Amino acid sequence: GFFVFVLGYYFLREHYNPGYLAAVSQNEFGGRFIEANGGHGGYWDYYWNLIKKEHFGTWYWALPSSLFFVWFLANPKIKRALIFCVLCSLSFIVVISASKTKLLWYDIPVYPLFACIVGILVLQFATILSQFKYVNKQFALIALIIAFSIQPVHETFNFIKWQYEDLSKDNSYAVSY
């Protein structure tokens, strides 16, 4: 069924837009992946550095930590969800890292998976804390979210405040930022 829908889409697009398959072949199956287009090249760790330093920042520590906690998860559904998110995100990052063309936004689809990984990890911390006699699980969860979010919110506020001064003068990039 998957191949019927996917191939059907491509052939339907070719029917309505002649030359579509040639463009896909040139751009997706070869061009961008095999050689850097428009000077948008980078090293193999380009996306890992973006994730660590800019795009996921403060929460980066949670990604390798989640691999440690996966072995201690009692709930098999949550364990499978965590393994699924980790495998999908790792395979996606490996594929785009292998590509020669590297653009700032190519890693965007991986962040919802990262958010699920971090959410599962924070839930596990709250579950561990709730095992203490006087700690409520909901309270622990809210406290952890607030504690882990203070620094990223502060950094984002300072970045936006700093960017606003420069971007108010720049008509080209102000909207995108």
Side-chain angles (χ1 to χ4, degrees), residues 57-75:
T58 306
W59 291 97
Y60 180 75
W61 65 270
L63 298 174
S65 302
S66 67
L67 296 176
F68 174 75
F69 274 93
V70 74
W71 306 116
F72 299 107
L73 292 173
N75 187 332

Side-chain angles (χ1 to χ4, degrees), residues 79 108 115 159:
K79 186 182 242 183
I108 287 175
F159 178 76

Side-chain angles (χ1 to χ4, degrees), residues 3-24:
F3 288 111
V4 169
F5 283 110
V6 171
L7 292 175
Y9 169 78
Y10 280 106
F11 288 123
L12 191 63
R13 281 290 303 262
E14 177 65 27
H15 174 72
Y16 286 111
N17 302 86
Y20 179 76
L21 288 178
V24 167

Side-chain angles (χ1 to χ4, degrees), residues 30-105:
R32 293 181 194 175
F33 197 81
I34 294 174
E35 61 186 51
N37 288 352
H40 296 289
Y43 294 108
W44 68 271
D45 62 345
Y46 175 80
Y47 295 109
W48 296 108
N49 290 330
L50 273 179
I51 291 166
K52 185 166 70 171
K53 295 176 182 170
E54 293 180 36
H55 292 173
F56 213 57
T58 306
W59 291 97
Y60 180 75
W61 65 270
L63 298 174
S65 302
S66 67
L67 296 176
F68 174 75
F69 274 93
V70 74
W71 306 116
F72 299 107
L73 292 173
N75 187 332
K77 288 182 180 179
I78 293 177
K79 186 182 242 183
R80 284 195 313 264
L82 182 62
I83 292 170
F84 175 77
C85 290
V86 168
L87 289 177
C88 286
S89 59
L90 281 177
S91 62
F92 182 80
I93 293 295
V94 166
V95 168
I96 64 173
S97 294
S99 172
K100 299 296 182 193
T101 302
K102 300 200 178 353
L103 289 169
L104 192 62
W105 57 84

